[in-house]
Amino acid sequence: MWKQESAERSLSLVVPLSISEWEGEDVKSTWSGGAAKISHQLKVGTMAAFQLLFLLLVSCAPSSAYPPGHLSQCQIVQKDVLCSDQSLRSAPVNLPPDVQMLDLSRNQVQNLTRETLGFHTGFHRLNLHSNKIHFIQPRLFENMTDLRVLDLSRNHLNVFAHSKTNIGSLKAVESLDLSSNGLYTGMSDYFLTDSPSLANLSLNSNSITKISHNMFRGSLSLKKISLHNNVILEIEDGAFDSLHHLTELDLSKNSITCINDFDLYNLKLFNLSKNSLETFQSDSSDILFKLLSLDLSENKMLYFPDLPEKNELEYLNVSRNQLQTTNVTRNQEKQSILKLCCLKYLDMSYNQLKGIPESFFFSTPLLEVLNVSNNCIHSFSVSHMTPLNKVRVINLSYNSLQSLTFGENTLRSLKKLFLQGNKLTVLDHQIFQRLPSIRHLHLEQNNLQICPSEPKLKDHNHQVPTDCVSFSSVHNLHFLYLSENHLRTLPGNAFVDTPLKLLDLSLNPGLNLHKDSLSGLENSLVHLLLRENNISSLNTDLSSLKCLKHVDLSTNQLNSLLMWNKESSIESLNLQNNNLVTLDHHTILALERHLKTLYMGSNPLSCCDNLSIFRLVHQSAVVVPDIATATCFHEKNSEPVNIKKVTPEMCHRPDVSNYVVGVVVTLLVAMILLGLLIKCCRLRKRKHNRSFNA
């Protein structure tokens, strides 16, 4: 092997930092010596042939020594040399003597030797990812006592590992990336046998099938290990026991089927997502586990994980499993052992849960985010006994909810509630008034109706409404989504004392808007969505909404807009796919000052009746994103005309010529009358003169 190395060394060409270094006597002497050696070996040919061979060698040498993107394109930033994407086969010579970082990523390096790295030993960081490295000179990094970060990812180190040769000591290396190298089980040992300072190790995207008990015996300082996207089937007992500093372990996207007696007490982050886990069981020790985050998503678990009794867990993800219950085993009594006193985030979405007993939440007093979307839950109840005072977000979307109950003073911190995609029809009409902090409320794709404000509950002749939900006096609600609810009517004053900023009433075909439907939102509403409601006319005066900036009226049956008599603050207006022929001139004047974006495609607009809005488009005062489909009809064109092509000259109306004719006729009549008047005056003067002569 060493003979092969020396041979490679004699044939290797040193790549200079600049072309200028190829000039001068050094080049001539170097190549003349080489030529003399060749001449001596061949012992044939004439002097002319020798000179021709010499010239050919000189002309070919630079092309082999300088692959595309050579070192003249490297960048030097302080003590960092950046040479990525230069098709280099080695590091440049004449590197700055105090260079600390060398980036040779995405090049053509195949062998790592002292010559390859220019005999520099003062590197702090070496980035060699995405090359073709398949050989590393043993003990190459031994003298690099300052080397902290070494990136060898995306190479061919499996070829080197087949030689069963250790690369030698990595005494100072703290971060090592060996991902995407085709490494099999046991091959990583040749890189880890003597790396006492190693804290961060990445072995992602290799072909490792087993973690042996001695795999990390030479790297006892490890804090973070990532083995994502391998083929791990087995973890030998005690594989991580000697790693007392280990705090992060990523085993995601492997083929692990079970975790029994989990006992990594010091571990803080554990990722086991995208495996084939059926069970997760912890050691029954009384020792406190420091685990903060556990990701068990995308596995095959039927039961809730059996977590350490003493734990500090804050984040737990068991989404996309096959959970049918919150019990940890078939044994119902085991449920009482569950303790999650520090848990803040719990994701159980995309499972097969049919319900969550209130007793489950007795173990989660600090819970802030609960996601149980995409399950089969029929009812959800929170009574005054349930300690969910800290919860800020509850996601119950896409279940089969038919019953929803919140007791008084139960969810005082709840800010976001997701209920879309359920079967809610009947709710306590004031259920949302019991949520004093609620800001976001998603009720899309249900079957709810809206109550008028202030029902006369004190009147014994009026019973409490059972077929509608009240949205008045929800004092902190800012975002309300009610699309796809089969809403029939929006009563007057429906949102009084509710400071909505966004109201989505889209996809409720046949929705009837009362003229006072939006009363109470004059000083708060910013976004109004009314798309796809088959609305033929707006009964509501939007000009009274002082803060309204974004309005979506697309895909309706509008043939006119309610005339605005005062200035509007609307910045974005979507009128796509309606039956609009003319946009009222006064409305355009009211919109003109603040309007920035207008969607108006797929309308039967008249070219000559909308010149005021077309003028704004021509002046680029208003952007029309759907300009390609924004057309109008002109009596002289059989095909629709794009609004950008409309000019005032196209619209010389007949009434203009009639006006000119009228003026001419009036002038002629005036002239005739003036002539008659003058004639009459002359006749009188003659008569007067005759009478005087007599």
Side-chain angles (χ1 to χ4, degrees), residues 362-390:
F362 293 159
S363 63
T364 60
L366 299 181
L367 190 64
E368 295 181 4
V369 178
L370 172 64
N371 186 355
V372 287
S373 63
N374 294 278
N375 277 278
C376 309
I377 299 172
H378 293 280
S379 64
F380 187 83
S381 177
V382 180
S383 68
H384 68 282
M385 297 294 293
T386 309
L388 285 176
N389 296 323
K390 300 285 187 180

PDB file of all heavy atoms in Angstrom, residues 362-390:
ATOM      1  N   PHE A 362     -56.045  14.367  33.671  1.00  0.00           N
ATOM      2  CA  PHE A 362     -55.608  14.570  35.052  1.00  0.00           C
ATOM      3  C   PHE A 362     -54.084  14.452  35.169  1.00  0.00           C
ATOM      4  O   PHE A 362     -53.486  14.987  36.106  1.00  0.00           O
ATOM      5  CB  PHE A 362     -56.268  13.553  35.985  1.00  0.00           C
ATOM      6  CG  PHE A 362     -57.752  13.739  36.121  1.00  0.00           C
ATOM      7  CD1 PHE A 362     -58.561  12.703  36.552  1.00  0.00           C
ATOM      8  CD2 PHE A 362     -58.348  14.954  35.821  1.00  0.00           C
ATOM      9  CE1 PHE A 362     -59.925  12.872  36.693  1.00  0.00           C
ATOM     10  CE2 PHE A 362     -59.713  15.133  35.950  1.00  0.00           C
ATOM     11  CZ  PHE A 362     -60.507  14.089  36.388  1.00  0.00           C
ATOM     12  N   SER A 363     -53.472  13.736  34.208  1.00  0.00           N
ATOM     13  CA  SER A 363     -52.022  13.537  34.250  1.00  0.00           C
ATOM     14  C   SER A 363     -51.271  14.613  33.472  1.00  0.00           C
ATOM     15  O   SER A 363     -50.046  14.579  33.403  1.00  0.00           O
ATOM     16  CB  SER A 363     -51.663  12.159  33.673  1.00  0.00           C
ATOM     17  OG  SER A 363     -52.034  12.074  32.312  1.00  0.00           O
ATOM     18  N   THR A 364     -51.983  15.589  32.867  1.00  0.00           N
ATOM     19  CA  THR A 364     -51.328  16.603  32.025  1.00  0.00           C
ATOM     20  C   THR A 364     -51.713  18.016  32.467  1.00  0.00           C
ATOM     21  O   THR A 364     -52.305  18.773  31.690  1.00  0.00           O
ATOM     22  CB  THR A 364     -51.714  16.400  30.554  1.00  0.00           C
ATOM     23  OG1 THR A 364     -53.149  16.511  30.425  1.00  0.00           O
ATOM     24  CG2 THR A 364     -51.276  15.042  30.054  1.00  0.00           C
ATOM     25  N   PRO A 365     -51.394  18.416  33.674  1.00  0.00           N
ATOM     26  CA  PRO A 365     -51.853  19.724  34.173  1.00  0.00           C
ATOM     27  C   PRO A 365     -51.214  20.919  33.474  1.00  0.00           C
ATOM     28  O   PRO A 365     -51.759  22.017  33.525  1.00  0.00           O
ATOM     29  CB  PRO A 365     -51.460  19.684  35.655  1.00  0.00           C
ATOM     30  CG  PRO A 365     -50.300  18.737  35.718  1.00  0.00           C
ATOM     31  CD  PRO A 365     -50.591  17.690  34.691  1.00  0.00           C
ATOM     32  N   LEU A 366     -50.060  20.722  32.814  1.00  0.00           N
ATOM     33  CA  LEU A 366     -49.365  21.836  32.175  1.00  0.00           C
ATOM     34  C   LEU A 366     -49.515  21.833  30.654  1.00  0.00           C
ATOM     35  O   LEU A 366     -48.856  22.600  29.957  1.00  0.00           O
ATOM     36  CB  LEU A 366     -47.875  21.813  32.530  1.00  0.00           C
ATOM     37  CG  LEU A 366     -47.529  21.941  34.018  1.00  0.00           C
ATOM     38  CD1 LEU A 366     -46.019  21.930  34.209  1.00  0.00           C
ATOM     39  CD2 LEU A 366     -48.128  23.211  34.607  1.00  0.00           C
ATOM     40  N   LEU A 367     -50.399  20.989  30.146  1.00  0.00           N
ATOM     41  CA  LEU A 367     -50.560  20.856  28.703  1.00  0.00           C
ATOM     42  C   LEU A 367     -50.954  22.187  28.058  1.00  0.00           C
ATOM     43  O   LEU A 367     -51.870  22.867  28.520  1.00  0.00           O
ATOM     44  CB  LEU A 367     -51.621  19.796  28.395  1.00  0.00           C
ATOM     45  CG  LEU A 367     -51.728  19.372  26.934  1.00  0.00           C
ATOM     46  CD1 LEU A 367     -50.442  18.682  26.480  1.00  0.00           C
ATOM     47  CD2 LEU A 367     -52.928  18.444  26.730  1.00  0.00           C
ATOM     48  N   GLU A 368     -50.239  22.545  26.955  1.00  0.00           N
ATOM     49  CA  GLU A 368     -50.515  23.789  26.237  1.00  0.00           C
ATOM     50  C   GLU A 368     -51.070  23.549  24.838  1.00  0.00           C
ATOM     51  O   GLU A 368     -51.879  24.349  24.356  1.00  0.00           O
ATOM     52  CB  GLU A 368     -49.239  24.632  26.142  1.00  0.00           C
ATOM     53  CG  GLU A 368     -48.721  25.112  27.491  1.00  0.00           C
ATOM     54  CD  GLU A 368     -47.471  25.962  27.355  1.00  0.00           C
ATOM     55  OE1 GLU A 368     -47.057  26.243  26.201  1.00  0.00           O
ATOM     56  OE2 GLU A 368     -46.898  26.335  28.398  1.00  0.00           O
ATOM     57  N   VAL A 369     -50.628  22.479  24.179  1.00  0.00           N
ATOM     58  CA  VAL A 369     -51.090  22.185  22.818  1.00  0.00           C
ATOM     59  C   VAL A 369     -51.552  20.739  22.751  1.00  0.00           C
ATOM     60  O   VAL A 369     -50.798  19.823  23.075  1.00  0.00           O
ATOM     61  CB  VAL A 369     -49.962  22.427  21.785  1.00  0.00           C
ATOM     62  CG1 VAL A 369     -50.444  22.069  20.381  1.00  0.00           C
ATOM     63  CG2 VAL A 369     -49.489  23.872  21.835  1.00  0.00           C
ATOM     64  N   LEU A 370     -52.801  20.551  22.316  1.00  0.00           N
ATOM     65  CA  LEU A 370     -53.370  19.214  22.163  1.00  0.00           C
ATOM     66  C   LEU A 370     -53.858  19.051  20.730  1.00  0.00           C
ATOM     67  O   LEU A 370     -54.723  19.792  20.271  1.00  0.00           O
ATOM     68  CB  LEU A 370     -54.539  19.009  23.130  1.00  0.00           C
ATOM     69  CG  LEU A 370     -55.344  17.719  22.944  1.00  0.00           C
ATOM     70  CD1 LEU A 370     -54.480  16.491  23.217  1.00  0.00           C
ATOM     71  CD2 LEU A 370     -56.582  17.711  23.844  1.00  0.00           C
ATOM     72  N   ASN A 371     -53.298  18.078  20.022  1.00  0.00           N
ATOM     73  CA  ASN A 371     -53.702  17.800  18.642  1.00  0.00           C
ATOM     74  C   ASN A 371     -54.225  16.375  18.560  1.00  0.00           C
ATOM     75  O   ASN A 371     -53.461  15.423  18.669  1.00  0.00           O
ATOM     76  CB  ASN A 371     -52.523  17.993  17.685  1.00  0.00           C
ATOM     77  CG  ASN A 371     -52.930  17.864  16.229  1.00  0.00           C
ATOM     78  OD1 ASN A 371     -54.077  17.532  15.898  1.00  0.00           O
ATOM     79  ND2 ASN A 371     -52.001  18.124  15.332  1.00  0.00           N
ATOM     80  N   VAL A 372     -55.530  16.234  18.381  1.00  0.00           N
ATOM     81  CA  VAL A 372     -56.151  14.919  18.202  1.00  0.00           C
ATOM     82  C   VAL A 372     -56.968  14.923  16.912  1.00  0.00           C
ATOM     83  O   VAL A 372     -57.988  14.250  16.795  1.00  0.00           O
ATOM     84  CB  VAL A 372     -57.028  14.521  19.410  1.00  0.00           C
ATOM     85  CG1 VAL A 372     -56.178  14.146  20.595  1.00  0.00           C
ATOM     86  CG2 VAL A 372     -57.996  15.635  19.770  1.00  0.00           C
ATOM     87  N   SER A 373     -56.506  15.683  15.929  1.00  0.00           N
ATOM     88  CA  SER A 373     -57.209  15.755  14.645  1.00  0.00           C
ATOM     89  C   SER A 373     -57.114  14.437  13.897  1.00  0.00           C
ATOM     90  O   SER A 373     -56.255  13.598  14.172  1.00  0.00           O
ATOM     91  CB  SER A 373     -56.624  16.879  13.793  1.00  0.00           C
ATOM     92  OG  SER A 373     -55.263  16.619  13.489  1.00  0.00           O
ATOM     93  N   ASN A 374     -58.020  14.252  12.935  1.00  0.00           N
ATOM     94  CA  ASN A 374     -58.029  13.075  12.067  1.00  0.00           C
ATOM     95  C   ASN A 374     -58.066  11.769  12.860  1.00  0.00           C
ATOM     96  O   ASN A 374     -57.247  10.876  12.675  1.00  0.00           O
ATOM     97  CB  ASN A 374     -56.811  13.120  11.139  1.00  0.00           C
ATOM     98  CG  ASN A 374     -56.868  14.262  10.153  1.00  0.00           C
ATOM     99  OD1 ASN A 374     -57.512  14.181   9.110  1.00  0.00           O
ATOM    100  ND2 ASN A 374     -56.217  15.362  10.508  1.00  0.00           N
ATOM    101  N   ASN A 375     -59.040  11.683  13.758  1.00  0.00           N
ATOM    102  CA  ASN A 375     -59.340  10.457  14.472  1.00  0.00           C
ATOM    103  C   ASN A 375     -60.810  10.117  14.253  1.00  0.00           C
ATOM    104  O   ASN A 375     -61.401  10.548  13.254  1.00  0.00           O
ATOM    105  CB  ASN A 375     -59.009  10.612  15.960  1.00  0.00           C
ATOM    106  CG  ASN A 375     -57.533  10.385  16.253  1.00  0.00           C
ATOM    107  OD1 ASN A 375     -57.071   9.265  16.372  1.00  0.00           O
ATOM    108  ND2 ASN A 375     -56.780  11.482  16.358  1.00  0.00           N
ATOM    109  N   CYS A 376     -61.383   9.372  15.158  1.00  0.00           N
ATOM    110  CA  CYS A 376     -62.790   8.968  15.031  1.00  0.00           C
ATOM    111  C   CYS A 376     -63.580   9.387  16.267  1.00  0.00           C
ATOM    112  O   CYS A 376     -64.524   8.700  16.688  1.00  0.00           O
ATOM    113  CB  CYS A 376     -62.895   7.457  14.848  1.00  0.00           C
ATOM    114  SG  CYS A 376     -61.840   6.789  13.539  1.00  0.00           S
ATOM    115  N   ILE A 377     -63.226  10.511  16.866  1.00  0.00           N
ATOM    116  CA  ILE A 377     -63.817  10.954  18.127  1.00  0.00           C
ATOM    117  C   ILE A 377     -65.241  11.461  17.895  1.00  0.00           C
ATOM    118  O   ILE A 377     -65.474  12.296  17.025  1.00  0.00           O
ATOM    119  CB  ILE A 377     -62.947  12.054  18.761  1.00  0.00           C
ATOM    120  CG1 ILE A 377     -61.554  11.495  19.049  1.00  0.00           C
ATOM    121  CG2 ILE A 377     -63.580  12.593  20.037  1.00  0.00           C
ATOM    122  CD1 ILE A 377     -60.557  12.540  19.502  1.00  0.00           C
ATOM    123  N   HIS A 378     -66.187  10.946  18.690  1.00  0.00           N
ATOM    124  CA  HIS A 378     -67.601  11.323  18.552  1.00  0.00           C
ATOM    125  C   HIS A 378     -67.980  12.455  19.500  1.00  0.00           C
ATOM    126  O   HIS A 378     -68.857  13.264  19.171  1.00  0.00           O
ATOM    127  CB  HIS A 378     -68.505  10.111  18.820  1.00  0.00           C
ATOM    128  CG  HIS A 378     -68.386   9.038  17.775  1.00  0.00           C
ATOM    129  ND1 HIS A 378     -69.022   9.112  16.554  1.00  0.00           N
ATOM    130  CD2 HIS A 378     -67.689   7.877  17.757  1.00  0.00           C
ATOM    131  CE1 HIS A 378     -68.729   8.040  15.830  1.00  0.00           C
ATOM    132  NE2 HIS A 378     -67.917   7.273  16.546  1.00  0.00           N
ATOM    133  N   SER A 379     -67.355  12.497  20.649  1.00  0.00           N
ATOM    134  CA  SER A 379     -67.701  13.541  21.619  1.00  0.00           C
ATOM    135  C   SER A 379     -66.453  13.967  22.374  1.00  0.00           C
ATOM    136  O   SER A 379     -65.511  13.185  22.546  1.00  0.00           O
ATOM    137  CB  SER A 379     -68.764  13.044  22.596  1.00  0.00           C
ATOM    138  OG  SER A 379     -68.265  11.976  23.380  1.00  0.00           O
ATOM    139  N   PHE A 380     -66.468  15.224  22.802  1.00  0.00           N
ATOM    140  CA  PHE A 380     -65.344  15.760  23.560  1.00  0.00           C
ATOM    141  C   PHE A 380     -65.904  16.664  24.640  1.00  0.00           C
ATOM    142  O   PHE A 380     -66.690  17.574  24.364  1.00  0.00           O
ATOM    143  CB  PHE A 380     -64.404  16.549  22.645  1.00  0.00           C
ATOM    144  CG  PHE A 380     -63.139  16.997  23.313  1.00  0.00           C
ATOM    145  CD1 PHE A 380     -62.058  16.144  23.431  1.00  0.00           C
ATOM    146  CD2 PHE A 380     -63.025  18.279  23.841  1.00  0.00           C
ATOM    147  CE1 PHE A 380     -60.882  16.551  24.041  1.00  0.00           C
ATOM    148  CE2 PHE A 380     -61.856  18.704  24.458  1.00  0.00           C
ATOM    149  CZ  PHE A 380     -60.784  17.828  24.563  1.00  0.00           C
ATOM    150  N   SER A 381     -65.474  16.398  25.869  1.00  0.00           N
ATOM    151  CA  SER A 381     -66.037  17.135  26.997  1.00  0.00           C
ATOM    152  C   SER A 381     -64.934  17.573  27.945  1.00  0.00           C
ATOM    153  O   SER A 381     -63.983  16.820  28.203  1.00  0.00           O
ATOM    154  CB  SER A 381     -67.043  16.250  27.751  1.00  0.00           C
ATOM    155  OG  SER A 381     -67.553  16.914  28.871  1.00  0.00           O
ATOM    156  N   VAL A 382     -65.049  18.798  28.414  1.00  0.00           N
ATOM    157  CA  VAL A 382     -64.126  19.325  29.421  1.00  0.00           C
ATOM    158  C   VAL A 382     -64.972  19.919  30.537  1.00  0.00           C
ATOM    159  O   VAL A 382     -65.646  20.930  30.342  1.00  0.00           O
ATOM    160  CB  VAL A 382     -63.192  20.401  28.837  1.00  0.00           C
ATOM    161  CG1 VAL A 382     -62.258  20.917  29.924  1.00  0.00           C
ATOM    162  CG2 VAL A 382     -62.398  19.848  27.668  1.00  0.00           C
ATOM    163  N   SER A 383     -64.939  19.278  31.693  1.00  0.00           N
ATOM    164  CA  SER A 383     -65.724  19.759  32.825  1.00  0.00           C
ATOM    165  C   SER A 383     -64.852  20.596  33.752  1.00  0.00           C
ATOM    166  O   SER A 383     -63.634  20.708  33.551  1.00  0.00           O
ATOM    167  CB  SER A 383     -66.308  18.572  33.604  1.00  0.00           C
ATOM    168  OG  SER A 383     -65.271  17.841  34.244  1.00  0.00           O
ATOM    169  N   HIS A 384     -65.464  21.168  34.775  1.00  0.00           N
ATOM    170  CA  HIS A 384     -64.719  22.020  35.700  1.00  0.00           C
ATOM    171  C   HIS A 384     -63.704  21.223  36.513  1.00  0.00           C
ATOM    172  O   HIS A 384     -62.816  21.795  37.134  1.00  0.00           O
ATOM    173  CB  HIS A 384     -65.691  22.740  36.645  1.00  0.00           C
ATOM    174  CG  HIS A 384     -66.389  21.823  37.594  1.00  0.00           C
ATOM    175  ND1 HIS A 384     -67.466  21.039  37.220  1.00  0.00           N
ATOM    176  CD2 HIS A 384     -66.150  21.544  38.903  1.00  0.00           C
ATOM    177  CE1 HIS A 384     -67.867  20.328  38.254  1.00  0.00           C
ATOM    178  NE2 HIS A 384     -67.095  20.611  39.291  1.00  0.00           N
ATOM    179  N   MET A 385     -63.802  19.884  36.487  1.00  0.00           N
ATOM    180  CA  MET A 385     -62.852  19.038  37.212  1.00  0.00           C
ATOM    181  C   MET A 385     -61.571  18.785  36.405  1.00  0.00           C
ATOM    182  O   MET A 385     -60.573  18.350  36.953  1.00  0.00           O
ATOM    183  CB  MET A 385     -63.515  17.691  37.532  1.00  0.00           C
ATOM    184  CG  MET A 385     -64.724  17.804  38.453  1.00  0.00           C
ATOM    185  SD  MET A 385     -64.260  18.367  40.109  1.00  0.00           S
ATOM    186  CE  MET A 385     -63.301  16.959  40.667  1.00  0.00           C
ATOM    187  N   THR A 386     -61.614  19.064  35.112  1.00  0.00           N
ATOM    188  CA  THR A 386     -60.475  18.753  34.247  1.00  0.00           C
ATOM    189  C   THR A 386     -59.440  19.867  34.292  1.00  0.00           C
ATOM    190  O   THR A 386     -59.750  21.010  33.954  1.00  0.00           O
ATOM    191  CB  THR A 386     -60.951  18.553  32.795  1.00  0.00           C
ATOM    192  OG1 THR A 386     -62.025  17.619  32.779  1.00  0.00           O
ATOM    193  CG2 THR A 386     -59.824  18.033  31.934  1.00  0.00           C
ATOM    194  N   PRO A 387     -58.207  19.560  34.695  1.00  0.00           N
ATOM    195  CA  PRO A 387     -57.178  20.606  34.840  1.00  0.00           C
ATOM    196  C   PRO A 387     -56.508  20.948  33.507  1.00  0.00           C
ATOM    197  O   PRO A 387     -55.390  20.528  33.231  1.00  0.00           O
ATOM    198  CB  PRO A 387     -56.184  19.967  35.811  1.00  0.00           C
ATOM    199  CG  PRO A 387     -56.287  18.502  35.527  1.00  0.00           C
ATOM    200  CD  PRO A 387     -57.708  18.244  35.120  1.00  0.00           C
ATOM    201  N   LEU A 388     -57.203  21.716  32.677  1.00  0.00           N
ATOM    202  CA  LEU A 388     -56.628  22.152  31.411  1.00  0.00           C
ATOM    203  C   LEU A 388     -56.547  23.675  31.368  1.00  0.00           C
ATOM    204  O   LEU A 388     -56.849  24.308  30.362  1.00  0.00           O
ATOM    205  CB  LEU A 388     -57.463  21.632  30.236  1.00  0.00           C
ATOM    206  CG  LEU A 388     -57.313  20.149  29.905  1.00  0.00           C
ATOM    207  CD1 LEU A 388     -58.253  19.746  28.788  1.00  0.00           C
ATOM    208  CD2 LEU A 388     -55.874  19.808  29.523  1.00  0.00           C
ATOM    209  N   ASN A 389     -56.119  24.250  32.452  1.00  0.00           N
ATOM    210  CA  ASN A 389     -56.087  25.706  32.556  1.00  0.00           C
ATOM    211  C   ASN A 389     -54.972  26.338  31.741  1.00  0.00           C
ATOM    212  O   ASN A 389     -54.995  27.546  31.486  1.00  0.00           O
ATOM    213  CB  ASN A 389     -55.938  26.125  34.026  1.00  0.00           C
ATOM    214  CG  ASN A 389     -57.135  25.693  34.859  1.00  0.00           C
ATOM    215  OD1 ASN A 389     -58.263  25.732  34.388  1.00  0.00           O
ATOM    216  ND2 ASN A 389     -56.876  25.255  36.083  1.00  0.00           N
ATOM    217  N   LYS A 390     -53.971  25.539  31.319  1.00  0.00           N
ATOM    218  CA  LYS A 390     -52.836  26.086  30.584  1.00  0.00           C
ATOM    219  C   LYS A 390     -52.975  25.911  29.070  1.00  0.00           C
ATOM    220  O   LYS A 390     -52.215  26.511  28.311  1.00  0.00           O
ATOM    221  CB  LYS A 390     -51.537  25.398  31.029  1.00  0.00           C
ATOM    222  CG  LYS A 390     -51.210  25.542  32.509  1.00  0.00           C
ATOM    223  CD  LYS A 390     -50.693  26.934  32.822  1.00  0.00           C
ATOM    224  CE  LYS A 390     -50.216  27.017  34.263  1.00  0.00           C
ATOM    225  NZ  LYS A 390     -49.697  28.370  34.594  1.00  0.00           N
TER     226      LYS A 390
END
